[in-house]
mmCIF file of all heavy atoms in Angstrom:
data_model
loop_
_atom_site.group_PDB
_atom_site.id
_atom_site.type_symbol
_atom_site.label_atom_id
_atom_site.label_comp_id
_atom_site.label_asym_id
_atom_site.label_seq_id
_atom_site.Cartn_x
_atom_site.Cartn_y
_atom_site.Cartn_z
ATOM 1 N N GLY A 288 -7.796 -26.035 -10.369
ATOM 2 C CA GLY A 288 -6.353 -25.921 -10.518
ATOM 3 C C GLY A 288 -5.840 -24.514 -10.732
ATOM 4 O O GLY A 288 -4.624 -24.295 -10.714
ATOM 5 N N ARG A 289 -6.752 -23.558 -10.947
ATOM 6 C CA ARG A 289 -6.319 -22.179 -11.141
ATOM 7 C C ARG A 289 -5.694 -21.644 -9.852
ATOM 8 O O ARG A 289 -6.209 -21.898 -8.754
ATOM 9 C CB ARG A 289 -7.493 -21.283 -11.537
ATOM 10 C CG ARG A 289 -8.028 -21.519 -12.929
ATOM 11 C CD ARG A 289 -9.205 -20.589 -13.231
ATOM 12 N NE ARG A 289 -10.322 -20.847 -12.349
ATOM 13 C CZ ARG A 289 -10.759 -19.998 -11.426
ATOM 14 N NH1 ARG A 289 -10.133 -18.841 -11.227
ATOM 15 N NH2 ARG A 289 -11.818 -20.310 -10.673
ATOM 16 N N PRO A 290 -4.597 -20.882 -9.956
ATOM 17 C CA PRO A 290 -3.977 -20.342 -8.751
ATOM 18 C C PRO A 290 -4.848 -19.276 -8.092
ATOM 19 O O PRO A 290 -5.651 -18.614 -8.750
ATOM 20 C CB PRO A 290 -2.664 -19.743 -9.267
ATOM 21 C CG PRO A 290 -2.939 -19.432 -10.704
ATOM 22 C CD PRO A 290 -3.862 -20.512 -11.189
ATOM 23 N N LYS A 291 -4.709 -19.130 -6.799
ATOM 24 C CA LYS A 291 -5.403 -18.087 -6.046
ATOM 25 C C LYS A 291 -4.812 -16.733 -6.430
ATOM 26 O O LYS A 291 -3.604 -16.523 -6.352
ATOM 27 C CB LYS A 291 -5.240 -18.332 -4.544
ATOM 28 C CG LYS A 291 -5.863 -17.278 -3.648
ATOM 29 C CD LYS A 291 -7.379 -17.354 -3.649
ATOM 30 C CE LYS A 291 -7.965 -16.414 -2.602
ATOM 31 N NZ LYS A 291 -9.448 -16.403 -2.647
ATOM 32 N N SER A 292 -5.674 -15.815 -6.839
ATOM 33 C CA SER A 292 -5.186 -14.532 -7.368
ATOM 34 C C SER A 292 -4.845 -13.544 -6.270
ATOM 35 O O SER A 292 -3.756 -12.961 -6.255
ATOM 36 C CB SER A 292 -6.234 -13.921 -8.306
ATOM 37 O OG SER A 292 -6.495 -14.777 -9.391
ATOM 38 N N THR A 293 -5.771 -13.329 -5.344
ATOM 39 C CA THR A 293 -5.537 -12.336 -4.297
ATOM 40 C C THR A 293 -6.164 -12.769 -2.987
ATOM 41 O O THR A 293 -7.295 -13.277 -2.950
ATOM 42 C CB THR A 293 -6.128 -10.954 -4.672
ATOM 43 O OG1 THR A 293 -7.508 -11.106 -5.005
ATOM 44 C CG2 THR A 293 -5.389 -10.328 -5.828
ATOM 45 N N LYS A 294 -5.435 -12.563 -1.922
ATOM 46 C CA LYS A 294 -5.940 -12.703 -0.563
ATOM 47 C C LYS A 294 -5.457 -11.481 0.200
ATOM 48 O O LYS A 294 -4.264 -11.346 0.511
ATOM 49 C CB LYS A 294 -5.430 -13.988 0.088
ATOM 50 C CG LYS A 294 -5.806 -14.123 1.565
ATOM 51 C CD LYS A 294 -7.300 -14.232 1.775
ATOM 52 C CE LYS A 294 -7.651 -14.399 3.253
ATOM 53 N NZ LYS A 294 -9.119 -14.510 3.471
ATOM 54 N N PHE A 295 -6.375 -10.551 0.475
ATOM 55 C CA PHE A 295 -5.988 -9.310 1.137
ATOM 56 C C PHE A 295 -5.632 -9.592 2.588
ATOM 57 O O PHE A 295 -6.380 -10.244 3.321
ATOM 58 C CB PHE A 295 -7.115 -8.283 1.053
ATOM 59 C CG PHE A 295 -7.213 -7.618 -0.288
ATOM 60 C CD1 PHE A 295 -7.806 -8.263 -1.356
ATOM 61 C CD2 PHE A 295 -6.698 -6.344 -0.489
ATOM 62 C CE1 PHE A 295 -7.892 -7.663 -2.609
ATOM 63 C CE2 PHE A 295 -6.771 -5.732 -1.723
ATOM 64 C CZ PHE A 295 -7.374 -6.382 -2.789
ATOM 65 N N ILE A 296 -4.469 -9.102 2.995
ATOM 66 C CA ILE A 296 -3.985 -9.286 4.360
ATOM 67 C C ILE A 296 -4.267 -8.053 5.207
ATOM 68 O O ILE A 296 -4.719 -8.153 6.351
ATOM 69 C CB ILE A 296 -2.477 -9.600 4.362
ATOM 70 C CG1 ILE A 296 -2.211 -10.891 3.600
ATOM 71 C CG2 ILE A 296 -1.938 -9.693 5.785
ATOM 72 C CD1 ILE A 296 -0.735 -11.179 3.387
ATOM 73 N N CYS A 297 -4.025 -6.878 4.616
ATOM 74 C CA CYS A 297 -4.200 -5.638 5.370
ATOM 75 C C CYS A 297 -4.318 -4.477 4.382
ATOM 76 O O CYS A 297 -3.657 -4.472 3.348
ATOM 77 C CB CYS A 297 -3.018 -5.413 6.306
ATOM 78 S SG CYS A 297 -3.179 -3.956 7.388
ATOM 79 N N ASN A 298 -5.170 -3.494 4.723
ATOM 80 C CA ASN A 298 -5.347 -2.310 3.890
ATOM 81 C C ASN A 298 -5.042 -1.016 4.631
ATOM 82 O O ASN A 298 -5.352 0.062 4.113
ATOM 83 C CB ASN A 298 -6.800 -2.233 3.383
ATOM 84 C CG ASN A 298 -7.153 -3.378 2.469
ATOM 85 O OD1 ASN A 298 -6.463 -3.625 1.498
ATOM 86 N ND2 ASN A 298 -8.228 -4.087 2.792
ATOM 87 N N TYR A 299 -4.449 -1.091 5.810
ATOM 88 C CA TYR A 299 -4.295 0.102 6.642
ATOM 89 C C TYR A 299 -2.903 0.138 7.256
ATOM 90 O O TYR A 299 -2.437 -0.863 7.812
ATOM 91 C CB TYR A 299 -5.367 0.098 7.741
ATOM 92 C CG TYR A 299 -5.307 1.267 8.698
ATOM 93 C CD1 TYR A 299 -5.524 2.568 8.252
ATOM 94 C CD2 TYR A 299 -5.038 1.066 10.043
ATOM 95 C CE1 TYR A 299 -5.486 3.635 9.129
ATOM 96 C CE2 TYR A 299 -5.001 2.127 10.937
ATOM 97 C CZ TYR A 299 -5.219 3.408 10.469
ATOM 98 O OH TYR A 299 -5.170 4.471 11.342
ATOM 99 N N ARG A 300 -2.222 1.261 7.099
ATOM 100 C CA ARG A 300 -0.885 1.491 7.676
ATOM 101 C C ARG A 300 0.104 0.407 7.243
ATOM 102 O O ARG A 300 0.967 -0.014 8.013
ATOM 103 C CB ARG A 300 -0.968 1.581 9.213
ATOM 104 C CG ARG A 300 -1.768 2.762 9.712
ATOM 105 C CD ARG A 300 -1.934 2.746 11.221
ATOM 106 N NE ARG A 300 -0.646 2.902 11.893
ATOM 107 C CZ ARG A 300 -0.489 2.792 13.226
ATOM 108 N NH1 ARG A 300 -1.514 2.494 13.992
ATOM 109 N NH2 ARG A 300 0.701 2.965 13.759
ATOM 110 N N THR A 301 -0.027 -0.029 6.018
ATOM 111 C CA THR A 301 0.822 -1.121 5.536
ATOM 112 C C THR A 301 2.274 -0.698 5.380
ATOM 113 O O THR A 301 3.190 -1.389 5.843
ATOM 114 C CB THR A 301 0.286 -1.659 4.207
ATOM 115 O OG1 THR A 301 0.093 -0.575 3.295
ATOM 116 C CG2 THR A 301 -1.034 -2.382 4.407
ATOM 117 N N LEU A 302 2.525 0.418 4.711
ATOM 118 C CA LEU A 302 3.899 0.835 4.462
ATOM 119 C C LEU A 302 4.645 1.114 5.761
ATOM 120 O O LEU A 302 5.836 0.824 5.886
ATOM 121 C CB LEU A 302 3.904 2.095 3.578
ATOM 122 C CG LEU A 302 5.275 2.639 3.175
ATOM 123 C CD1 LEU A 302 6.107 1.580 2.467
ATOM 124 C CD2 LEU A 302 5.123 3.873 2.285
ATOM 125 N N GLU A 303 3.947 1.639 6.726
ATOM 126 C CA GLU A 303 4.554 1.981 8.012
ATOM 127 C C GLU A 303 5.174 0.767 8.708
ATOM 128 O O GLU A 303 6.147 0.907 9.458
ATOM 129 C CB GLU A 303 3.486 2.610 8.914
ATOM 130 C CG GLU A 303 3.958 3.011 10.300
ATOM 131 C CD GLU A 303 2.842 3.576 11.146
ATOM 132 O OE1 GLU A 303 1.778 3.932 10.583
ATOM 133 O OE2 GLU A 303 3.022 3.664 12.375
ATOM 134 N N HIS A 304 4.633 -0.418 8.430
ATOM 135 C CA HIS A 304 5.090 -1.619 9.129
ATOM 136 C C HIS A 304 5.915 -2.553 8.237
ATOM 137 O O HIS A 304 6.123 -3.716 8.582
ATOM 138 C CB HIS A 304 3.884 -2.371 9.697
ATOM 139 C CG HIS A 304 3.161 -1.609 10.763
ATOM 140 N ND1 HIS A 304 2.062 -0.816 10.504
ATOM 141 C CD2 HIS A 304 3.403 -1.491 12.096
ATOM 142 C CE1 HIS A 304 1.642 -0.260 11.618
ATOM 143 N NE2 HIS A 304 2.429 -0.654 12.607
ATOM 144 N N MET A 305 6.387 -2.029 7.114
ATOM 145 C CA MET A 305 7.210 -2.841 6.221
ATOM 146 C C MET A 305 8.689 -2.671 6.535
ATOM 147 O O MET A 305 9.126 -1.599 6.975
ATOM 148 C CB MET A 305 6.974 -2.441 4.769
ATOM 149 C CG MET A 305 5.598 -2.780 4.229
ATOM 150 S SD MET A 305 5.194 -4.536 4.275
ATOM 151 C CE MET A 305 6.537 -5.199 3.296
ATOM 152 N N ASP A 306 9.453 -3.706 6.293
ATOM 153 C CA ASP A 306 10.909 -3.656 6.358
ATOM 154 C C ASP A 306 11.417 -3.330 4.955
ATOM 155 O O ASP A 306 11.157 -4.076 4.006
ATOM 156 C CB ASP A 306 11.456 -5.003 6.835
ATOM 157 C CG ASP A 306 12.975 -5.025 6.942
ATOM 158 O OD1 ASP A 306 13.630 -4.031 6.554
ATOM 159 O OD2 ASP A 306 13.504 -6.058 7.399
ATOM 160 N N PHE A 307 12.129 -2.214 4.794
ATOM 161 C CA PHE A 307 12.615 -1.825 3.471
ATOM 162 C C PHE A 307 13.452 -2.934 2.819
ATOM 163 O O PHE A 307 13.444 -3.091 1.601
ATOM 164 C CB PHE A 307 13.453 -0.553 3.561
ATOM 165 C CG PHE A 307 12.649 0.702 3.821
ATOM 166 C CD1 PHE A 307 13.279 1.912 3.990
ATOM 167 C CD2 PHE A 307 11.266 0.666 3.883
ATOM 168 C CE1 PHE A 307 12.562 3.077 4.227
ATOM 169 C CE2 PHE A 307 10.529 1.817 4.117
ATOM 170 C CZ PHE A 307 11.177 3.027 4.290
ATOM 171 N N ASP A 308 14.176 -3.697 3.638
ATOM 172 C CA ASP A 308 15.028 -4.746 3.094
ATOM 173 C C ASP A 308 14.219 -5.888 2.481
ATOM 174 O O ASP A 308 14.765 -6.692 1.712
ATOM 175 C CB ASP A 308 15.946 -5.307 4.185
ATOM 176 C CG ASP A 308 16.976 -4.284 4.658
ATOM 177 O OD1 ASP A 308 17.318 -3.389 3.871
ATOM 178 O OD2 ASP A 308 17.415 -4.377 5.820
ATOM 179 N N ALA A 309 12.927 -5.966 2.817
ATOM 180 C CA ALA A 309 12.078 -7.019 2.266
ATOM 181 C C ALA A 309 11.449 -6.614 0.938
ATOM 182 O O ALA A 309 10.810 -7.444 0.278
ATOM 183 C CB ALA A 309 10.973 -7.380 3.262
ATOM 184 N N LEU A 310 11.631 -5.360 0.537
ATOM 185 C CA LEU A 310 11.055 -4.887 -0.715
ATOM 186 C C LEU A 310 11.955 -5.281 -1.878
ATOM 187 O O LEU A 310 13.136 -4.938 -1.907
ATOM 188 C CB LEU A 310 10.888 -3.358 -0.668
ATOM 189 C CG LEU A 310 10.023 -2.817 0.484
ATOM 190 C CD1 LEU A 310 9.949 -1.298 0.402
ATOM 191 C CD2 LEU A 310 8.637 -3.435 0.472
ATOM 192 N N ARG A 311 11.400 -5.999 -2.824
ATOM 193 C CA ARG A 311 12.178 -6.437 -3.975
ATOM 194 C C ARG A 311 11.858 -5.530 -5.170
ATOM 195 O O ARG A 311 11.884 -4.309 -5.030
ATOM 196 C CB ARG A 311 11.907 -7.923 -4.237
ATOM 197 C CG ARG A 311 12.218 -8.764 -2.976
ATOM 198 C CD ARG A 311 12.406 -10.237 -3.231
ATOM 199 N NE ARG A 311 11.184 -10.909 -3.666
ATOM 200 C CZ ARG A 311 11.055 -12.239 -3.744
ATOM 201 N NH1 ARG A 311 12.068 -13.030 -3.395
ATOM 202 N NH2 ARG A 311 9.936 -12.800 -4.146
ATOM 203 N N ASN A 312 11.550 -6.054 -6.317
ATOM 204 C CA ASN A 312 11.344 -5.199 -7.492
ATOM 205 C C ASN A 312 9.993 -4.497 -7.461
ATOM 206 O O ASN A 312 9.012 -5.024 -6.930
ATOM 207 C CB ASN A 312 11.480 -6.011 -8.766
ATOM 208 C CG ASN A 312 12.907 -6.475 -8.995
ATOM 209 O OD1 ASN A 312 13.822 -6.065 -8.278
ATOM 210 N ND2 ASN A 312 13.108 -7.334 -9.963
ATOM 211 N N MET A 313 9.964 -3.306 -8.070
ATOM 212 C CA MET A 313 8.756 -2.486 -8.141
ATOM 213 C C MET A 313 8.177 -2.562 -9.554
ATOM 214 O O MET A 313 8.922 -2.649 -10.530
ATOM 215 C CB MET A 313 9.096 -1.021 -7.784
ATOM 216 C CG MET A 313 7.924 -0.056 -7.895
ATOM 217 S SD MET A 313 8.425 1.670 -7.556
ATOM 218 C CE MET A 313 8.655 1.599 -5.773
ATOM 219 N N TYR A 314 6.843 -2.488 -9.633
ATOM 220 C CA TYR A 314 6.157 -2.569 -10.921
ATOM 221 C C TYR A 314 5.251 -1.352 -11.092
ATOM 222 O O TYR A 314 4.301 -1.150 -10.329
ATOM 223 C CB TYR A 314 5.350 -3.873 -11.013
ATOM 224 C CG TYR A 314 6.245 -5.087 -10.944
ATOM 225 C CD1 TYR A 314 6.664 -5.596 -9.716
ATOM 226 C CD2 TYR A 314 6.717 -5.689 -12.112
ATOM 227 C CE1 TYR A 314 7.514 -6.688 -9.654
ATOM 228 C CE2 TYR A 314 7.570 -6.777 -12.057
ATOM 229 C CZ TYR A 314 7.962 -7.271 -10.825
ATOM 230 O OH TYR A 314 8.820 -8.347 -10.763
ATOM 231 N N TYR A 315 5.602 -0.549 -12.086
ATOM 232 C CA TYR A 315 4.839 0.650 -12.442
ATOM 233 C C TYR A 315 3.933 0.246 -13.600
ATOM 234 O O TYR A 315 4.412 -0.062 -14.693
ATOM 235 C CB TYR A 315 5.822 1.741 -12.832
ATOM 236 C CG TYR A 315 5.258 3.090 -13.189
ATOM 237 C CD1 TYR A 315 5.708 4.234 -12.528
ATOM 238 C CD2 TYR A 315 4.335 3.258 -14.211
ATOM 239 C CE1 TYR A 315 5.230 5.485 -12.860
ATOM 240 C CE2 TYR A 315 3.846 4.508 -14.546
ATOM 241 C CZ TYR A 315 4.295 5.611 -13.866
ATOM 242 O OH TYR A 315 3.814 6.861 -14.195
ATOM 243 N N CYS A 316 2.615 0.223 -13.373
ATOM 244 C CA CYS A 316 1.688 -0.406 -14.314
ATOM 245 C C CYS A 316 0.669 0.594 -14.856
ATOM 246 O O CYS A 316 0.321 1.576 -14.187
ATOM 247 C CB CYS A 316 0.923 -1.535 -13.634
ATOM 248 S SG CYS A 316 1.956 -2.686 -12.692
ATOM 249 N N ASN A 317 0.176 0.313 -16.048
ATOM 250 C CA ASN A 317 -0.920 1.096 -16.599
ATOM 251 C C ASN A 317 -2.239 0.361 -16.386
ATOM 252 O O ASN A 317 -2.287 -0.714 -15.781
ATOM 253 C CB ASN A 317 -0.682 1.420 -18.079
ATOM 254 C CG ASN A 317 -0.605 0.170 -18.961
ATOM 255 O OD1 ASN A 317 -1.124 -0.885 -18.617
ATOM 256 N ND2 ASN A 317 0.060 0.300 -20.104
ATOM 257 N N ALA A 318 -3.330 0.949 -16.895
ATOM 258 C CA ALA A 318 -4.658 0.394 -16.648
ATOM 259 C C ALA A 318 -4.893 -0.933 -17.360
ATOM 260 O O ALA A 318 -5.870 -1.625 -17.065
ATOM 261 C CB ALA A 318 -5.718 1.404 -17.073
ATOM 262 N N TYR A 319 -3.999 -1.306 -18.278
ATOM 263 C CA TYR A 319 -4.122 -2.580 -18.975
ATOM 264 C C TYR A 319 -3.306 -3.681 -18.304
ATOM 265 O O TYR A 319 -3.351 -4.839 -18.737
ATOM 266 C CB TYR A 319 -3.669 -2.434 -20.431
ATOM 267 C CG TYR A 319 -4.427 -1.374 -21.190
ATOM 268 C CD1 TYR A 319 -3.851 -0.125 -21.420
ATOM 269 C CD2 TYR A 319 -5.717 -1.604 -21.658
ATOM 270 C CE1 TYR A 319 -4.542 0.868 -22.102
ATOM 271 C CE2 TYR A 319 -6.416 -0.625 -22.342
ATOM 272 C CZ TYR A 319 -5.829 0.606 -22.561
ATOM 273 O OH TYR A 319 -6.515 1.588 -23.228
ATOM 274 N N GLY A 320 -2.543 -3.313 -17.280
ATOM 275 C CA GLY A 320 -1.695 -4.285 -16.617
ATOM 276 C C GLY A 320 -0.325 -4.421 -17.246
ATOM 277 O O GLY A 320 0.474 -5.266 -16.826
ATOM 278 N N ASP A 321 -0.015 -3.591 -18.263
ATOM 279 C CA ASP A 321 1.350 -3.555 -18.798
ATOM 280 C C ASP A 321 2.220 -2.799 -17.800
ATOM 281 O O ASP A 321 1.740 -1.908 -17.095
ATOM 282 C CB ASP A 321 1.372 -2.845 -20.149
ATOM 283 C CG ASP A 321 0.425 -3.492 -21.151
ATOM 284 O OD1 ASP A 321 0.364 -4.729 -21.185
ATOM 285 O OD2 ASP A 321 -0.266 -2.747 -21.874
ATOM 286 N N TYR A 322 3.504 -3.110 -17.758
ATOM 287 C CA TYR A 322 4.320 -2.539 -16.693
ATOM 288 C C TYR A 322 5.761 -2.322 -17.142
ATOM 289 O O TYR A 322 6.232 -2.875 -18.147
ATOM 290 C CB TYR A 322 4.314 -3.467 -15.469
ATOM 291 C CG TYR A 322 4.972 -4.807 -15.721
ATOM 292 C CD1 TYR A 322 6.341 -4.979 -15.576
ATOM 293 C CD2 TYR A 322 4.218 -5.911 -16.120
ATOM 294 C CE1 TYR A 322 6.953 -6.200 -15.823
ATOM 295 C CE2 TYR A 322 4.814 -7.133 -16.372
ATOM 296 C CZ TYR A 322 6.180 -7.271 -16.215
ATOM 297 O OH TYR A 322 6.778 -8.480 -16.475
ATOM 298 N N VAL A 323 6.454 -1.498 -16.333
ATOM 299 C CA VAL A 323 7.900 -1.404 -16.384
ATOM 300 C C VAL A 323 8.405 -1.840 -15.017
ATOM 301 O O VAL A 323 7.849 -1.451 -13.979
ATOM 302 C CB VAL A 323 8.374 0.018 -16.750
ATOM 303 C CG1 VAL A 323 7.841 1.060 -15.780
ATOM 304 C CG2 VAL A 323 9.903 0.081 -16.792
ATOM 305 N N GLU A 324 9.421 -2.668 -15.011
ATOM 306 C CA GLU A 324 9.957 -3.227 -13.769
ATOM 307 C C GLU A 324 11.153 -2.395 -13.312
ATOM 308 O O GLU A 324 12.109 -2.203 -14.056
ATOM 309 C CB GLU A 324 10.363 -4.675 -13.996
ATOM 310 C CG GLU A 324 10.869 -5.395 -12.759
ATOM 311 C CD GLU A 324 11.234 -6.845 -13.049
ATOM 312 O OE1 GLU A 324 11.230 -7.230 -14.244
ATOM 313 O OE2 GLU A 324 11.523 -7.586 -12.101
ATOM 314 N N LEU A 325 11.092 -1.921 -12.075
ATOM 315 C CA LEU A 325 12.158 -1.101 -11.499
ATOM 316 C C LEU A 325 12.868 -1.882 -10.404
ATOM 317 O O LEU A 325 12.216 -2.523 -9.575
ATOM 318 C CB LEU A 325 11.595 0.198 -10.911
ATOM 319 C CG LEU A 325 10.676 1.033 -11.809
ATOM 320 C CD1 LEU A 325 10.189 2.272 -11.067
ATOM 321 C CD2 LEU A 325 11.394 1.428 -13.090
ATOM 322 N N LYS A 326 14.191 -1.800 -10.399
ATOM 323 C CA LYS A 326 14.973 -2.515 -9.402
ATOM 324 C C LYS A 326 15.607 -1.537 -8.409
ATOM 325 O O LYS A 326 15.939 -0.411 -8.774
ATOM 326 C CB LYS A 326 16.067 -3.335 -10.093
ATOM 327 C CG LYS A 326 15.511 -4.396 -11.036
ATOM 328 C CD LYS A 326 16.617 -5.189 -11.705
ATOM 329 C CE LYS A 326 16.034 -6.245 -12.642
ATOM 330 N NZ LYS A 326 17.083 -7.041 -13.316
ATOM 331 N N PRO A 327 15.789 -1.947 -7.155
ATOM 332 C CA PRO A 327 16.442 -1.056 -6.181
ATOM 333 C C PRO A 327 17.836 -0.682 -6.654
ATOM 334 O O PRO A 327 18.528 -1.468 -7.305
ATOM 335 C CB PRO A 327 16.495 -1.906 -4.904
ATOM 336 C CG PRO A 327 15.518 -3.004 -5.104
ATOM 337 C CD PRO A 327 15.448 -3.260 -6.578
ATOM 338 N N GLY A 328 18.245 0.532 -6.366
ATOM 339 C CA GLY A 328 19.557 1.003 -6.787
ATOM 340 C C GLY A 328 20.093 2.067 -5.860
ATOM 341 O O GLY A 328 19.426 2.492 -4.913
ATOM 342 N N GLU A 329 21.298 2.508 -6.135
ATOM 343 C CA GLU A 329 21.932 3.541 -5.339
ATOM 344 C C GLU A 329 21.469 4.924 -5.801
ATOM 345 O O GLU A 329 21.340 5.180 -6.999
ATOM 346 C CB GLU A 329 23.453 3.446 -5.456
ATOM 347 C CG GLU A 329 24.048 2.166 -4.882
ATOM 348 C CD GLU A 329 23.839 2.057 -3.390
ATOM 349 O OE1 GLU A 329 23.895 3.106 -2.704
ATOM 350 O OE2 GLU A 329 23.607 0.932 -2.904
ATOM 351 N N PHE A 330 21.211 5.785 -4.858
ATOM 352 C CA PHE A 330 20.863 7.168 -5.182
ATOM 353 C C PHE A 330 22.123 8.007 -5.169
ATOM 354 O O PHE A 330 22.916 7.948 -4.226
ATOM 355 C CB PHE A 330 19.865 7.720 -4.160
ATOM 356 C CG PHE A 330 19.494 9.153 -4.407
ATOM 357 C CD1 PHE A 330 18.556 9.479 -5.369
ATOM 358 C CD2 PHE A 330 20.085 10.174 -3.689
ATOM 359 C CE1 PHE A 330 18.208 10.796 -5.612
ATOM 360 C CE2 PHE A 330 19.756 11.493 -3.920
ATOM 361 C CZ PHE A 330 18.812 11.806 -4.887
ATOM 362 N N ASP A 331 22.335 8.792 -6.214
ATOM 363 C CA ASP A 331 23.514 9.646 -6.322
ATOM 364 C C ASP A 331 23.153 11.070 -5.906
ATOM 365 O O ASP A 331 22.543 11.813 -6.687
ATOM 366 C CB ASP A 331 24.044 9.640 -7.757
ATOM 367 C CG ASP A 331 25.338 10.437 -7.911
ATOM 368 O OD1 ASP A 331 25.811 10.990 -6.895
ATOM 369 O OD2 ASP A 331 25.863 10.507 -9.033
ATOM 370 N N PRO A 332 23.498 11.485 -4.703
ATOM 371 C CA PRO A 332 23.133 12.831 -4.247
ATOM 372 C C PRO A 332 23.949 13.929 -4.912
ATOM 373 O O PRO A 332 23.626 15.117 -4.767
ATOM 374 C CB PRO A 332 23.421 12.771 -2.740
ATOM 375 C CG PRO A 332 24.514 11.755 -2.616
ATOM 376 C CD PRO A 332 24.244 10.735 -3.689
ATOM 377 N N ALA A 333 24.993 13.548 -5.656
ATOM 378 C CA ALA A 333 25.856 14.554 -6.275
ATOM 379 C C ALA A 333 25.263 15.129 -7.556
ATOM 380 O O ALA A 333 25.731 16.146 -8.053
ATOM 381 C CB ALA A 333 27.222 13.951 -6.579
ATOM 382 N N ILE A 334 24.219 14.478 -8.097
ATOM 383 C CA ILE A 334 23.602 14.997 -9.316
ATOM 384 C C ILE A 334 22.966 16.344 -9.023
ATOM 385 O O ILE A 334 22.184 16.496 -8.081
ATOM 386 C CB ILE A 334 22.551 14.016 -9.853
ATOM 387 C CG1 ILE A 334 23.219 12.703 -10.266
ATOM 388 C CG2 ILE A 334 21.809 14.611 -11.049
ATOM 389 C CD1 ILE A 334 22.252 11.648 -10.756
#
């Protein structure tokens, strides 16, 4: 009954073939698996 943890689909040229609109939240993690969750936002070029 344990869920499947990982099934690798591809390890090469992955970012090149992604649709940016399909990218949801980002997770910046440490070696313990603790994380901060980042959400897409507007970039202010005037700063």
Side-chain angles (χ1 to χ4, degrees):
R289 289 179 297 113
K291 177 72 172 176
S292 300
T293 54
K294 174 64 179 180
F295 282 79
I296 299 172
C297 184
N298 295 307
Y299 179 64
R300 296 175 65 187
T301 52
L302 182 56
E303 179 182 345
H304 295 95
M305 292 300 302
D306 181 355
F307 287 177
D308 293 334
L310 302 180
R311 304 198 293 191
N312 292 352
M313 177 183 287
Y314 297 84
Y315 182 125
C316 312
N317 62 23
Y319 303 102
D321 304 319
Y322 65 86
V323 57
E324 183 179 8
L325 309 179
K326 298 180 180 180
E329 295 296 324
F330 178 80
D331 184 0
I334 296 178

